[in-house]
Amino acid sequence: MATHSRPVLKVAVEQWVPWTKVLTDTDGRMKVEGPMGKLLDMISSVLSFDYEFVRPVNMAWGRPYPNGSWDGMLGQLQRREVEFAVGPFGVTYQRESICDFTDPMYSENNAILMVRPTLRNDMAGFLKPFSGKVWMLALTSLIVIVVVMARLAATEMSLFSSSPRWGFSKATNWGLKVFTQEGSEDVPPFTATRLLAAVWLLASMVFMSSYGGILTAMLTVPRVTIPIDSLADLVAQDDLPWTVESSSMMYQYFQEAKDGARKKFFDGLLSTIQDCYSSRHDIASSQYAAICDKTTMKKAMSWDYSNTGKCHLYISRENVYSNIQIAMAFQINSTYRRRTNAIIHMLKEAGILDLWLAQEITNATQCLRPPSADRSTGIAALTVEALAGSFLLLGGGEGSEGRGGMRAAFQCSHV
Protein backbone atom coordinates (compact mmCIF):
# COMPACT_ATOMS: atom_id res chain seq x y z
CA MET A 1 0.00 0.00 0.00
CA ALA A 2 2.71 2.46 0.95
CA THR A 3 5.25 3.89 -1.48
CA HIS A 4 8.37 6.00 -0.94
CA SER A 5 6.78 9.18 -2.26
CA ARG A 6 3.17 9.00 -1.08
CA PRO A 7 2.02 9.60 2.49
CA VAL A 8 -0.02 6.89 4.21
CA LEU A 9 -3.18 8.11 5.93
CA LYS A 10 -5.09 6.18 8.55
CA VAL A 11 -8.75 5.97 7.55
CA ALA A 12 -11.62 4.85 9.78
CA VAL A 13 -14.08 2.55 8.11
CA GLU A 14 -17.17 0.58 9.06
CA GLN A 15 -19.80 -1.23 7.04
CA TRP A 16 -22.95 0.44 5.75
CA VAL A 17 -24.42 -1.54 2.87
CA PRO A 18 -24.86 -0.43 0.11
CA TRP A 19 -22.61 2.61 0.62
CA THR A 20 -19.70 0.82 2.22
CA LYS A 21 -19.01 -2.91 2.17
CA VAL A 22 -15.96 -3.99 4.18
CA LEU A 23 -14.21 -7.18 3.07
CA THR A 24 -11.17 -8.95 4.52
CA ASP A 25 -8.68 -10.82 2.33
CA THR A 26 -7.18 -14.16 3.30
CA ASP A 27 -4.02 -12.32 4.43
CA GLY A 28 -6.07 -10.16 6.80
CA ARG A 29 -6.00 -6.97 4.73
CA MET A 30 -9.22 -4.97 4.52
CA LYS A 31 -10.73 -3.50 1.40
CA VAL A 32 -13.88 -1.48 0.80
CA GLU A 33 -16.39 -1.94 -2.02
CA GLY A 34 -19.44 0.08 -2.97
CA PRO A 35 -19.79 3.79 -3.82
CA MET A 36 -17.61 4.90 -0.90
CA GLY A 37 -14.87 2.47 -1.88
CA LYS A 38 -14.83 3.92 -5.40
CA LEU A 39 -14.88 7.46 -4.02
CA LEU A 40 -12.00 6.68 -1.67
CA ASP A 41 -9.91 5.26 -4.51
CA MET A 42 -10.54 8.39 -6.58
CA ILE A 43 -9.67 10.73 -3.70
CA SER A 44 -6.49 8.73 -3.03
CA SER A 45 -5.48 8.90 -6.68
CA VAL A 46 -6.16 12.63 -7.16
CA LEU A 47 -4.67 13.76 -3.84
CA SER A 48 -1.71 11.34 -4.08
CA PHE A 49 -1.85 9.42 -0.82
CA ASP A 50 -2.15 5.81 0.25
CA TYR A 51 -4.33 4.70 3.12
CA GLU A 52 -4.55 2.17 5.89
CA PHE A 53 -7.92 1.11 7.28
CA VAL A 54 -8.66 1.21 10.99
CA ARG A 55 -11.98 -0.20 12.23
CA PRO A 56 -13.38 1.01 15.56
CA VAL A 57 -13.33 -1.51 18.40
CA ASN A 58 -17.11 -1.44 18.86
CA MET A 59 -17.79 -1.35 15.07
CA ALA A 60 -19.93 1.78 15.49
CA TRP A 61 -20.36 5.16 13.87
CA GLY A 62 -20.13 6.90 17.23
CA ARG A 63 -22.17 8.39 20.05
CA PRO A 64 -21.26 10.78 22.89
CA TYR A 65 -20.78 9.99 26.57
CA PRO A 66 -21.53 12.32 29.48
CA ASN A 67 -17.82 13.16 29.88
CA GLY A 68 -17.70 14.54 26.32
CA SER A 69 -15.85 11.64 24.71
CA TRP A 70 -17.19 9.70 21.73
CA ASP A 71 -16.93 6.07 20.71
CA GLY A 72 -16.80 4.51 17.25
CA MET A 73 -15.33 6.21 14.21
CA LEU A 74 -16.23 9.65 15.51
CA GLY A 75 -14.25 8.88 18.66
CA GLN A 76 -11.24 7.99 16.49
CA LEU A 77 -11.54 11.38 14.78
CA GLN A 78 -11.93 13.18 18.09
CA ARG A 79 -8.73 11.54 19.41
CA ARG A 80 -7.03 12.24 16.06
CA GLU A 81 -6.20 8.57 15.58
CA VAL A 82 -7.29 8.76 11.93
CA GLU A 83 -7.21 11.51 9.31
CA PHE A 84 -10.77 10.94 8.15
CA ALA A 85 -13.62 8.42 8.27
CA VAL A 86 -15.25 7.04 5.14
CA GLY A 87 -18.73 6.67 6.60
CA PRO A 88 -20.79 8.30 5.24
CA PHE A 89 -22.31 9.99 8.29
CA GLY A 90 -25.56 11.76 8.98
CA VAL A 91 -24.62 15.37 9.67
CA THR A 92 -25.80 16.75 13.02
CA TYR A 93 -24.90 19.84 15.03
CA GLN A 94 -23.52 17.74 17.90
CA ARG A 95 -21.30 15.69 15.60
CA GLU A 96 -19.93 18.85 14.00
CA SER A 97 -18.48 19.82 17.37
CA ILE A 98 -15.83 17.07 17.17
CA CYS A 99 -15.14 16.76 13.40
CA ASP A 100 -15.48 18.55 10.07
CA PHE A 101 -17.84 17.15 7.46
CA THR A 102 -17.48 17.41 3.73
CA ASP A 103 -20.24 18.99 1.71
CA PRO A 104 -23.29 16.69 1.59
CA MET A 105 -23.19 13.85 -0.89
CA TYR A 106 -26.78 12.69 -0.57
CA SER A 107 -30.04 13.41 1.24
CA GLU A 108 -31.43 10.43 3.14
CA ASN A 109 -34.75 9.57 4.79
CA ASN A 110 -35.33 7.14 7.64
CA ALA A 111 -38.46 5.02 7.97
CA ILE A 112 -39.62 1.74 9.51
CA LEU A 113 -38.54 -1.56 7.95
CA MET A 114 -40.74 -4.53 8.89
CA VAL A 115 -42.13 -7.82 7.64
CA ARG A 116 -44.35 -7.34 4.61
CA PRO A 117 -48.12 -7.52 5.21
CA THR A 118 -49.70 -10.24 3.10
CA LEU A 119 -53.08 -10.99 1.57
CA ARG A 120 -55.07 -13.00 4.10
CA ASN A 121 -58.47 -14.67 4.11
CA ASP A 122 -60.90 -12.87 6.37
CA MET A 123 -63.73 -14.87 7.97
CA ALA A 124 -65.68 -11.66 8.46
CA GLY A 125 -64.90 -10.37 4.97
CA PHE A 126 -68.49 -10.67 3.79
CA LEU A 127 -69.39 -7.95 6.31
CA LYS A 128 -66.74 -5.48 5.09
CA PRO A 129 -68.69 -3.79 2.24
CA PHE A 130 -70.62 -1.81 4.86
CA SER A 131 -69.53 -0.32 8.15
CA GLY A 132 -70.90 -1.59 11.44
CA LYS A 133 -73.14 1.44 11.71
CA VAL A 134 -74.74 0.75 8.32
CA TRP A 135 -75.34 -2.90 9.18
CA MET A 136 -76.92 -1.85 12.50
CA LEU A 137 -79.23 0.61 10.77
CA ALA A 138 -80.20 -2.02 8.19
CA LEU A 139 -81.00 -4.53 10.94
CA THR A 140 -82.98 -1.88 12.84
CA SER A 141 -84.98 -1.01 9.73
CA LEU A 142 -85.75 -4.72 9.18
CA ILE A 143 -87.03 -5.10 12.72
CA VAL A 144 -89.11 -1.93 12.46
CA ILE A 145 -90.66 -2.92 9.12
CA VAL A 146 -91.57 -6.40 10.42
CA VAL A 147 -93.22 -5.02 13.57
CA VAL A 148 -95.08 -2.26 11.69
CA MET A 149 -96.27 -4.62 8.97
CA ALA A 150 -97.53 -7.19 11.50
CA ARG A 151 -99.44 -4.51 13.44
CA LEU A 152 -100.79 -2.91 10.27
CA ALA A 153 -101.90 -6.29 8.89
CA ALA A 154 -103.65 -7.06 12.19
CA THR A 155 -105.46 -3.72 12.04
CA GLU A 156 -106.55 -4.27 8.44
CA MET A 157 -107.81 -7.77 9.17
CA SER A 158 -109.82 -6.40 12.11
CA LEU A 159 -111.34 -3.64 9.96
CA PHE A 160 -112.27 -5.99 7.12
CA SER A 161 -113.25 -8.87 9.41
CA SER A 162 -110.78 -11.13 7.63
CA SER A 163 -109.64 -14.40 9.11
CA PRO A 164 -106.12 -14.24 10.71
CA ARG A 165 -103.64 -15.27 8.09
CA TRP A 166 -100.86 -12.69 8.37
CA GLY A 167 -99.22 -12.63 11.78
CA PHE A 168 -95.83 -11.70 13.17
CA SER A 169 -94.17 -14.96 12.07
CA LYS A 170 -95.23 -14.48 8.45
CA ALA A 171 -94.15 -10.82 8.49
CA THR A 172 -90.73 -11.86 9.86
CA ASN A 173 -90.29 -14.58 7.25
CA TRP A 174 -91.32 -12.21 4.47
CA GLY A 175 -88.96 -9.45 5.66
CA LEU A 176 -85.95 -11.78 5.83
CA LYS A 177 -86.62 -13.20 2.37
CA VAL A 178 -86.99 -9.74 0.85
CA PHE A 179 -83.81 -8.58 2.59
CA THR A 180 -81.87 -11.50 1.06
CA GLN A 181 -83.55 -11.05 -2.34
CA GLU A 182 -85.59 -14.26 -2.13
CA GLY A 183 -89.12 -14.71 -3.43
CA SER A 184 -91.90 -15.37 -0.96
CA GLU A 185 -95.24 -17.17 -1.35
CA ASP A 186 -96.71 -15.07 1.44
CA VAL A 187 -98.22 -11.83 0.16
CA PRO A 188 -99.38 -8.96 2.40
CA PRO A 189 -103.19 -9.18 2.58
CA PHE A 190 -104.46 -5.63 2.06
CA THR A 191 -103.66 -2.32 0.37
CA ALA A 192 -101.81 -0.57 3.21
CA THR A 193 -99.51 -3.50 3.96
CA ARG A 194 -98.90 -4.03 0.24
CA LEU A 195 -97.93 -0.35 -0.19
CA LEU A 196 -95.55 -0.66 2.74
CA ALA A 197 -94.19 -3.89 1.21
CA ALA A 198 -93.54 -2.12 -2.11
CA VAL A 199 -91.50 0.59 -0.37
CA TRP A 200 -89.49 -2.04 1.54
CA LEU A 201 -88.90 -4.07 -1.63
CA LEU A 202 -87.47 -1.01 -3.37
CA ALA A 203 -85.26 -0.12 -0.36
CA SER A 204 -83.95 -3.67 0.02
CA MET A 205 -83.20 -3.88 -3.71
CA VAL A 206 -81.08 -0.71 -3.53
CA PHE A 207 -79.33 -1.92 -0.37
CA MET A 208 -78.46 -5.39 -1.65
CA SER A 209 -77.47 -4.12 -5.11
CA SER A 210 -75.08 -1.68 -3.44
CA TYR A 211 -73.73 -4.51 -1.30
CA GLY A 212 -73.10 -6.74 -4.32
CA GLY A 213 -71.34 -3.94 -6.23
CA ILE A 214 -69.06 -2.98 -3.35
CA LEU A 215 -68.21 -6.62 -2.66
CA THR A 216 -67.28 -7.16 -6.32
CA ALA A 217 -65.03 -4.09 -6.24
CA MET A 218 -63.31 -5.37 -3.09
CA LEU A 219 -62.61 -8.68 -4.81
CA THR A 220 -61.31 -7.00 -7.95
CA VAL A 221 -58.90 -4.74 -6.02
CA PRO A 222 -57.77 -6.70 -2.94
CA ARG A 223 -56.90 -4.72 0.15
CA VAL A 224 -54.15 -5.53 2.59
CA THR A 225 -54.37 -4.23 6.14
CA ILE A 226 -51.23 -2.25 7.03
CA PRO A 227 -51.16 -2.25 10.84
CA ILE A 228 -47.96 -0.16 11.10
CA ASP A 229 -47.28 2.74 8.75
CA SER A 230 -45.87 5.38 11.10
CA LEU A 231 -43.94 5.76 14.33
CA ALA A 232 -47.20 6.40 16.19
CA ASP A 233 -48.61 3.11 14.85
CA LEU A 234 -45.45 1.25 15.88
CA VAL A 235 -45.42 2.38 19.52
CA ALA A 236 -49.20 1.91 19.86
CA GLN A 237 -49.05 -1.87 19.31
CA ASP A 238 -47.55 -4.76 21.28
CA ASP A 239 -47.34 -7.52 18.68
CA LEU A 240 -44.12 -6.49 16.91
CA PRO A 241 -41.06 -5.37 18.93
CA TRP A 242 -38.78 -2.67 17.54
CA THR A 243 -35.11 -1.79 17.45
CA VAL A 244 -32.59 0.70 16.03
CA GLU A 245 -28.93 0.65 15.04
CA SER A 246 -26.55 1.09 17.98
CA SER A 247 -24.36 4.21 18.17
CA SER A 248 -26.23 5.71 15.22
CA MET A 249 -27.64 9.17 14.67
CA MET A 250 -31.16 7.74 15.03
CA TYR A 251 -30.33 6.14 18.37
CA GLN A 252 -29.22 9.52 19.65
CA TYR A 253 -32.31 11.14 18.12
CA PHE A 254 -34.62 8.89 20.14
CA GLN A 255 -32.45 8.98 23.24
CA GLU A 256 -32.81 12.76 23.46
CA ALA A 257 -36.62 12.68 23.20
CA LYS A 258 -38.47 14.04 26.23
CA ASP A 259 -42.00 12.93 25.43
CA GLY A 260 -44.33 11.68 22.70
CA ALA A 261 -43.91 8.77 20.31
CA ARG A 262 -40.11 9.17 20.17
CA LYS A 263 -39.77 8.67 23.92
CA LYS A 264 -42.15 5.69 23.85
CA PHE A 265 -40.01 4.22 21.10
CA PHE A 266 -36.78 4.57 23.10
CA ASP A 267 -38.34 3.33 26.35
CA GLY A 268 -39.76 0.28 24.55
CA LEU A 269 -36.62 -0.71 22.63
CA LEU A 270 -36.19 -4.47 22.40
CA SER A 271 -32.42 -4.04 21.95
CA THR A 272 -30.10 -2.49 19.38
CA ILE A 273 -28.68 -3.99 16.19
CA GLN A 274 -25.35 -3.53 14.47
CA ASP A 275 -26.86 -2.52 11.12
CA CYS A 276 -30.12 -2.98 9.25
CA TYR A 277 -28.73 -4.88 6.29
CA SER A 278 -27.17 -7.58 8.46
CA SER A 279 -30.48 -7.91 10.34
CA ARG A 280 -32.66 -8.20 7.23
CA HIS A 281 -33.37 -11.91 7.84
CA ASP A 282 -34.62 -11.27 11.39
CA ILE A 283 -36.79 -8.39 10.20
CA ALA A 284 -38.25 -10.46 7.36
CA SER A 285 -39.07 -13.27 9.79
CA SER A 286 -41.09 -10.85 11.94
CA GLN A 287 -38.75 -10.91 14.95
CA TYR A 288 -38.80 -7.10 15.13
CA ALA A 289 -39.16 -3.89 13.14
CA ALA A 290 -36.24 -1.49 12.75
CA ILE A 291 -35.64 2.17 12.01
CA CYS A 292 -33.41 2.24 8.92
CA ASP A 293 -32.37 4.55 6.11
CA LYS A 294 -34.29 4.01 2.88
CA THR A 295 -31.18 3.32 0.81
CA THR A 296 -30.30 0.33 2.99
CA MET A 297 -33.91 -0.83 2.96
CA LYS A 298 -34.02 -0.76 -0.83
CA LYS A 299 -30.76 -2.73 -0.93
CA ALA A 300 -32.25 -5.34 1.42
CA MET A 301 -35.34 -5.58 -0.78
CA SER A 302 -33.17 -5.92 -3.87
CA TRP A 303 -31.21 -8.76 -2.28
CA ASP A 304 -34.40 -10.45 -1.07
CA TYR A 305 -36.19 -10.39 -4.42
CA SER A 306 -33.07 -11.39 -6.35
CA ASN A 307 -32.56 -14.45 -4.15
CA THR A 308 -36.12 -15.58 -3.42
CA GLY A 309 -38.25 -14.09 -6.20
CA LYS A 310 -40.61 -12.77 -3.50
CA CYS A 311 -40.93 -9.71 -1.30
CA HIS A 312 -40.69 -10.22 2.46
CA LEU A 313 -39.99 -6.64 3.58
CA TYR A 314 -42.09 -3.49 3.78
CA ILE A 315 -41.16 0.20 4.21
CA SER A 316 -43.57 2.42 6.11
CA ARG A 317 -45.10 5.22 4.07
CA GLU A 318 -44.41 7.82 6.76
CA ASN A 319 -40.80 8.87 7.34
CA VAL A 320 -39.49 8.84 10.88
CA TYR A 321 -36.79 11.39 9.99
CA SER A 322 -36.48 13.24 6.68
CA ASN A 323 -33.72 14.91 4.67
CA ILE A 324 -30.66 13.76 6.58
CA GLN A 325 -27.57 15.18 4.89
CA ILE A 326 -24.83 12.56 4.71
CA ALA A 327 -21.13 13.23 4.21
CA MET A 328 -17.59 12.04 4.96
CA ALA A 329 -15.99 13.13 8.25
CA PHE A 330 -12.49 14.60 8.68
CA GLN A 331 -10.38 15.73 11.57
CA ILE A 332 -11.05 19.35 12.48
CA ASN A 333 -8.99 21.63 10.18
CA SER A 334 -7.83 18.74 8.00
CA THR A 335 -5.96 19.92 4.90
CA TYR A 336 -7.56 17.15 2.84
CA ARG A 337 -11.18 18.16 3.34
CA ARG A 338 -11.29 21.16 0.98
CA ARG A 339 -9.77 19.22 -1.93
CA THR A 340 -12.09 16.27 -1.20
CA ASN A 341 -15.06 18.65 -1.49
CA ALA A 342 -13.95 19.60 -5.00
CA ILE A 343 -13.91 15.93 -6.03
CA ILE A 344 -17.35 15.31 -4.48
CA HIS A 345 -18.81 18.33 -6.31
CA MET A 346 -17.45 17.06 -9.61
CA LEU A 347 -18.89 13.56 -9.10
CA LYS A 348 -22.29 14.90 -8.02
CA GLU A 349 -22.60 17.25 -10.96
CA ALA A 350 -21.69 14.46 -13.38
CA GLY A 351 -24.23 12.11 -11.74
CA ILE A 352 -21.52 9.56 -11.00
CA LEU A 353 -22.36 9.20 -7.31
CA ASP A 354 -26.00 8.45 -8.17
CA LEU A 355 -24.85 5.98 -10.82
CA TRP A 356 -22.62 4.13 -8.36
CA LEU A 357 -25.48 3.90 -5.86
CA ALA A 358 -27.99 2.74 -8.50
CA GLN A 359 -25.62 -0.08 -9.47
CA GLU A 360 -25.97 -1.43 -5.92
CA ILE A 361 -29.78 -1.44 -5.96
CA THR A 362 -30.89 -3.21 -9.11
CA ASN A 363 -34.00 -5.24 -8.27
CA ALA A 364 -36.17 -3.47 -5.69
CA THR A 365 -38.97 -2.07 -7.87
CA GLN A 366 -41.34 -5.00 -7.37
CA CYS A 367 -41.04 -4.85 -3.58
CA LEU A 368 -41.62 -1.09 -3.49
CA ARG A 369 -45.13 -1.65 -4.86
CA PRO A 370 -48.01 -1.83 -2.33
CA PRO A 371 -48.63 -5.27 -0.77
CA SER A 372 -52.00 -5.51 -2.54
CA ALA A 373 -50.05 -5.83 -5.81
CA ASP A 374 -48.42 -9.08 -4.64
CA ARG A 375 -51.27 -11.22 -6.00
CA SER A 376 -49.91 -12.47 -9.32
CA THR A 377 -53.26 -13.36 -10.91
CA GLY A 378 -56.32 -11.18 -11.22
CA ILE A 379 -58.72 -13.96 -10.15
CA ALA A 380 -57.89 -16.32 -7.29
CA ALA A 381 -59.71 -19.56 -6.46
CA LEU A 382 -61.76 -19.41 -3.28
CA THR A 383 -60.47 -21.54 -0.42
CA VAL A 384 -62.19 -23.13 2.57
CA GLU A 385 -60.74 -20.36 4.76
CA ALA A 386 -62.26 -17.70 2.51
CA LEU A 387 -65.69 -19.35 2.81
CA ALA A 388 -65.48 -20.10 6.53
CA GLY A 389 -67.40 -17.02 7.65
CA SER A 390 -70.16 -17.64 5.13
CA PHE A 391 -70.47 -21.29 6.14
CA LEU A 392 -70.80 -20.27 9.78
CA LEU A 393 -73.52 -17.81 8.87
CA LEU A 394 -75.23 -20.48 6.76
CA GLY A 395 -75.08 -23.02 9.58
CA GLY A 396 -76.58 -20.58 12.05
CA GLY A 397 -79.32 -19.30 9.81
CA GLU A 398 -80.44 -22.27 7.71
CA GLY A 399 -82.84 -23.59 10.32
CA SER A 400 -84.88 -20.41 10.37
CA GLU A 401 -84.35 -18.93 6.91
CA GLY A 402 -84.20 -21.98 4.64
CA ARG A 403 -83.07 -21.33 1.08
CA GLY A 404 -83.13 -17.57 1.63
CA GLY A 405 -80.35 -17.80 4.21
CA MET A 406 -78.40 -20.15 1.92
CA ARG A 407 -78.45 -17.72 -0.96
CA ALA A 408 -77.48 -14.78 1.25
CA ALA A 409 -74.52 -16.72 2.64
CA PHE A 410 -73.13 -17.71 -0.76
CA GLN A 411 -73.71 -14.24 -2.14
CA CYS A 412 -71.45 -12.96 0.66
CA SER A 413 -68.78 -15.63 0.39
CA HIS A 414 -66.34 -14.11 -2.09
CA VAL A 415 -63.95 -12.30 0.26
Short mmCIF file of all heavy atoms in Angstrom, two decimals, residues 143-157 166-172 189 193 196:
data_model
loop_
_atom_site.label_atom_id
_atom_site.label_comp_id
_atom_site.label_asym_id
_atom_site.label_seq_id
_atom_site.Cartn_x
_atom_site.Cartn_y
_atom_site.Cartn_z
N ILE A 143 -86.20 -4.84 11.54
CA ILE A 143 -87.03 -5.10 12.72
C ILE A 143 -88.25 -4.19 12.74
O ILE A 143 -89.39 -4.62 13.00
CB ILE A 143 -86.20 -4.93 14.01
CG1 ILE A 143 -85.09 -5.99 14.07
CG2 ILE A 143 -87.09 -5.01 15.24
CD1 ILE A 143 -84.12 -5.79 15.21
N VAL A 144 -88.02 -2.90 12.44
CA VAL A 144 -89.11 -1.93 12.46
C VAL A 144 -90.16 -2.28 11.41
O VAL A 144 -91.37 -2.26 11.68
CB VAL A 144 -88.57 -0.50 12.23
CG1 VAL A 144 -89.72 0.49 11.98
CG2 VAL A 144 -87.74 -0.06 13.43
N ILE A 145 -89.70 -2.63 10.19
CA ILE A 145 -90.66 -2.92 9.12
C ILE A 145 -91.47 -4.17 9.43
O ILE A 145 -92.67 -4.25 9.13
CB ILE A 145 -89.94 -3.05 7.76
CG1 ILE A 145 -90.93 -2.84 6.62
CG2 ILE A 145 -89.28 -4.40 7.59
CD1 ILE A 145 -91.44 -1.44 6.51
N VAL A 146 -90.85 -5.18 10.06
CA VAL A 146 -91.57 -6.40 10.42
C VAL A 146 -92.64 -6.10 11.47
O VAL A 146 -93.81 -6.53 11.36
CB VAL A 146 -90.59 -7.48 10.93
CG1 VAL A 146 -91.35 -8.62 11.62
CG2 VAL A 146 -89.76 -8.02 9.77
N VAL A 147 -92.27 -5.34 12.50
CA VAL A 147 -93.22 -5.02 13.57
C VAL A 147 -94.38 -4.18 13.03
O VAL A 147 -95.56 -4.45 13.30
CB VAL A 147 -92.50 -4.28 14.72
CG1 VAL A 147 -93.51 -3.75 15.73
CG2 VAL A 147 -91.50 -5.20 15.39
N VAL A 148 -94.04 -3.14 12.23
CA VAL A 148 -95.08 -2.26 11.69
C VAL A 148 -96.01 -3.02 10.76
O VAL A 148 -97.24 -2.86 10.80
CB VAL A 148 -94.44 -1.06 10.97
CG1 VAL A 148 -95.51 -0.25 10.21
CG2 VAL A 148 -93.72 -0.18 11.97
N MET A 149 -95.44 -3.87 9.92
CA MET A 149 -96.27 -4.62 8.97
C MET A 149 -97.19 -5.59 9.70
O MET A 149 -98.36 -5.75 9.33
CB MET A 149 -95.37 -5.37 7.98
CG MET A 149 -96.16 -6.14 6.92
SD MET A 149 -95.11 -6.71 5.58
CE MET A 149 -94.79 -5.17 4.74
N ALA A 150 -96.69 -6.26 10.74
CA ALA A 150 -97.53 -7.19 11.50
C ALA A 150 -98.68 -6.45 12.17
O ALA A 150 -99.84 -6.91 12.15
CB ALA A 150 -96.66 -7.92 12.53
N ARG A 151 -98.38 -5.28 12.78
CA ARG A 151 -99.44 -4.51 13.44
C ARG A 151 -100.43 -3.96 12.43
O ARG A 151 -101.66 -3.96 12.66
CB ARG A 151 -98.81 -3.35 14.24
CG ARG A 151 -97.93 -3.80 15.39
CD ARG A 151 -98.78 -4.45 16.49
NE ARG A 151 -99.76 -3.55 17.02
CZ ARG A 151 -99.54 -2.69 18.02
NH1 ARG A 151 -98.32 -2.64 18.59
NH2 ARG A 151 -100.50 -1.91 18.46
N LEU A 152 -99.91 -3.47 11.28
CA LEU A 152 -100.79 -2.91 10.27
C LEU A 152 -101.68 -3.99 9.67
O LEU A 152 -102.88 -3.77 9.43
CB LEU A 152 -99.95 -2.25 9.17
CG LEU A 152 -100.71 -1.51 8.06
CD1 LEU A 152 -101.58 -0.40 8.66
CD2 LEU A 152 -99.73 -0.94 7.04
N ALA A 153 -101.09 -5.19 9.43
CA ALA A 153 -101.90 -6.29 8.89
C ALA A 153 -102.99 -6.69 9.88
O ALA A 153 -104.13 -6.98 9.49
CB ALA A 153 -101.00 -7.47 8.57
N ALA A 154 -102.65 -6.71 11.18
CA ALA A 154 -103.65 -7.06 12.19
C ALA A 154 -104.79 -6.05 12.21
O ALA A 154 -105.98 -6.41 12.34
CB ALA A 154 -102.98 -7.14 13.56
N THR A 155 -104.44 -4.77 12.06
CA THR A 155 -105.46 -3.72 12.04
C THR A 155 -106.37 -3.86 10.83
O THR A 155 -107.61 -3.75 10.92
CB THR A 155 -104.80 -2.33 12.04
OG1 THR A 155 -103.98 -2.21 13.20
CG2 THR A 155 -105.85 -1.24 12.03
N GLU A 156 -105.76 -4.12 9.66
CA GLU A 156 -106.55 -4.27 8.44
C GLU A 156 -107.47 -5.49 8.52
O GLU A 156 -108.65 -5.44 8.09
CB GLU A 156 -105.63 -4.40 7.23
CG GLU A 156 -104.98 -3.09 6.82
CD GLU A 156 -104.18 -3.23 5.54
OE1 GLU A 156 -103.38 -4.19 5.43
OE2 GLU A 156 -104.36 -2.39 4.64
N MET A 157 -106.98 -6.58 9.06
CA MET A 157 -107.81 -7.77 9.17
C MET A 157 -108.97 -7.55 10.13
O MET A 157 -110.07 -8.06 9.94
CB MET A 157 -106.95 -8.96 9.63
CG MET A 157 -106.03 -9.48 8.53
SD MET A 157 -105.14 -10.98 9.01
CE MET A 157 -104.05 -10.33 10.26
N TRP A 166 -102.10 -13.46 8.54
CA TRP A 166 -100.86 -12.69 8.37
C TRP A 166 -100.41 -12.16 9.73
O TRP A 166 -100.69 -11.04 10.12
CB TRP A 166 -101.07 -11.54 7.39
CG TRP A 166 -99.79 -10.79 7.07
CD1 TRP A 166 -99.30 -9.69 7.70
CD2 TRP A 166 -98.84 -11.10 6.06
NE1 TRP A 166 -98.13 -9.30 7.17
CE2 TRP A 166 -97.81 -10.15 6.13
CE3 TRP A 166 -98.78 -12.11 5.09
CZ2 TRP A 166 -96.73 -10.17 5.29
CZ3 TRP A 166 -97.69 -12.12 4.25
CH2 TRP A 166 -96.67 -11.16 4.33
N GLY A 167 -99.67 -13.01 10.46
CA GLY A 167 -99.22 -12.63 11.78
C GLY A 167 -97.75 -12.23 11.79
O GLY A 167 -97.11 -12.03 10.75
N PHE A 168 -97.22 -12.16 13.00
CA PHE A 168 -95.83 -11.70 13.17
C PHE A 168 -94.84 -12.67 12.54
O PHE A 168 -93.84 -12.26 11.95
CB PHE A 168 -95.55 -11.56 14.67
CG PHE A 168 -94.16 -11.03 14.97
CD1 PHE A 168 -93.86 -9.69 14.82
CD2 PHE A 168 -93.15 -11.90 15.37
CE1 PHE A 168 -92.59 -9.22 15.08
CE2 PHE A 168 -91.88 -11.43 15.64
CZ PHE A 168 -91.59 -10.09 15.49
N SER A 169 -95.10 -13.98 12.64
CA SER A 169 -94.17 -14.96 12.07
C SER A 169 -94.08 -14.84 10.56
O SER A 169 -93.00 -14.92 9.97
CB SER A 169 -94.59 -16.38 12.47
OG SER A 169 -95.88 -16.68 11.96
N LYS A 170 -95.24 -14.63 9.91
CA LYS A 170 -95.23 -14.48 8.45
C LYS A 170 -94.56 -13.17 8.04
O LYS A 170 -93.84 -13.12 7.04
CB LYS A 170 -96.65 -14.54 7.90
CG LYS A 170 -97.23 -15.94 7.90
CD LYS A 170 -98.55 -15.98 7.15
CE LYS A 170 -99.08 -17.41 7.07
NZ LYS A 170 -100.34 -17.48 6.30
N ALA A 171 -94.79 -12.11 8.79
CA ALA A 171 -94.15 -10.82 8.49
C ALA A 171 -92.63 -10.93 8.62
O ALA A 171 -91.88 -10.39 7.80
CB ALA A 171 -94.69 -9.74 9.42
N THR A 172 -92.18 -11.67 9.67
CA THR A 172 -90.73 -11.86 9.86
C THR A 172 -90.13 -12.65 8.71
O THR A 172 -89.08 -12.29 8.17
CB THR A 172 -90.46 -12.58 11.19
OG1 THR A 172 -91.01 -11.81 12.27
CG2 THR A 172 -88.97 -12.79 11.41
N PRO A 189 -101.77 -8.97 2.93
CA PRO A 189 -103.19 -9.18 2.58
C PRO A 189 -103.92 -7.99 2.01
O PRO A 189 -104.80 -8.15 1.15
CB PRO A 189 -103.80 -9.62 3.91
CG PRO A 189 -102.91 -9.00 4.95
CD PRO A 189 -101.54 -8.99 4.37
N THR A 193 -100.70 -2.66 3.76
CA THR A 193 -99.51 -3.50 3.96
C THR A 193 -98.79 -3.73 2.63
O THR A 193 -97.56 -3.82 2.60
CB THR A 193 -99.91 -4.85 4.57
OG1 THR A 193 -100.99 -5.43 3.82
CG2 THR A 193 -100.32 -4.69 6.02
N LEU A 196 -96.73 -0.63 1.89
CA LEU A 196 -95.55 -0.66 2.74
C LEU A 196 -94.53 -1.70 2.22
O LEU A 196 -93.32 -1.46 2.21
CB LEU A 196 -95.95 -0.99 4.18
CG LEU A 196 -94.81 -0.99 5.23
CD1 LEU A 196 -94.18 0.40 5.32
CD2 LEU A 196 -95.36 -1.41 6.59
#
